[in-house]
Amino acid sequence: MSISLDEVRHVARLARLDLDDAEIFSLQGELNALLGHFGDIQGIDTTGIEPRSHAVVLQNVWSVDEPVYGLPREAALRNAPMSRAGLFVVPQIIED
């Protein structure tokens, strides 16, 4: 199977690519080469091979969940532009 020039122009238009004729000819060759590689892959005998979701085995690495103390309130509020009653004061963003 090969891709025609009209199909390459159509794909380029869908991808919003403004290609001149030389670029379209080049892209046609590259896409036809890719289709050839896909044909080679389809020809591989995969009977007896179980499908996998990933090429390598995945294993989650979890860190130990230990509580740690954060900044004291006074240190956190020290650089705040405005604070009141130990809380950050921020501008209202929701209109009434």
Side-chain angles (χ1 to χ4, degrees):
M1 176 181 188
S2 69
I3 293 181
S4 69
L5 288 175
D6 290 333
E7 291 171 325
V8 174
R9 286 186 181 97
H10 179 70
V11 170
R13 187 175 52 79
L14 290 175
R16 300 184 196 289
L17 299 175
D18 186 22
L19 302 177
D20 60 17
D21 287 339
E23 291 171 324
I24 288 178
F25 284 118
S26 174
L27 186 59
Q28 180 190 25
E30 291 175 19
L31 291 175
N32 283 328
L34 278 174
L35 286 177
H37 293 305
F38 293 147
D40 294 342
I41 291 171
Q42 284 181 334
I44 296 174
D45 181 25
T46 58
T47 54
I49 299 175
E50 292 293 322
R52 304 181 108 191
S53 60
H54 293 10
V56 295
V57 177
L58 295 179
Q59 178 180 351
N60 288 334
V61 179
W62 301 98
S63 62
V64 179
D65 191 13
E66 296 178 3
V68 294
Y69 292 102
L71 283 174
R73 184 178 299 223
E74 297 79 26
L77 292 173
R78 188 175 307 138
N79 290 325
M82 292 190 329
S83 65
R84 185 178 319 131
L87 303 172
F88 292 101
V89 177
V90 296
Q92 181 179 353
I93 59 170
I94 300 175
E95 298 177 6
D96 292 328

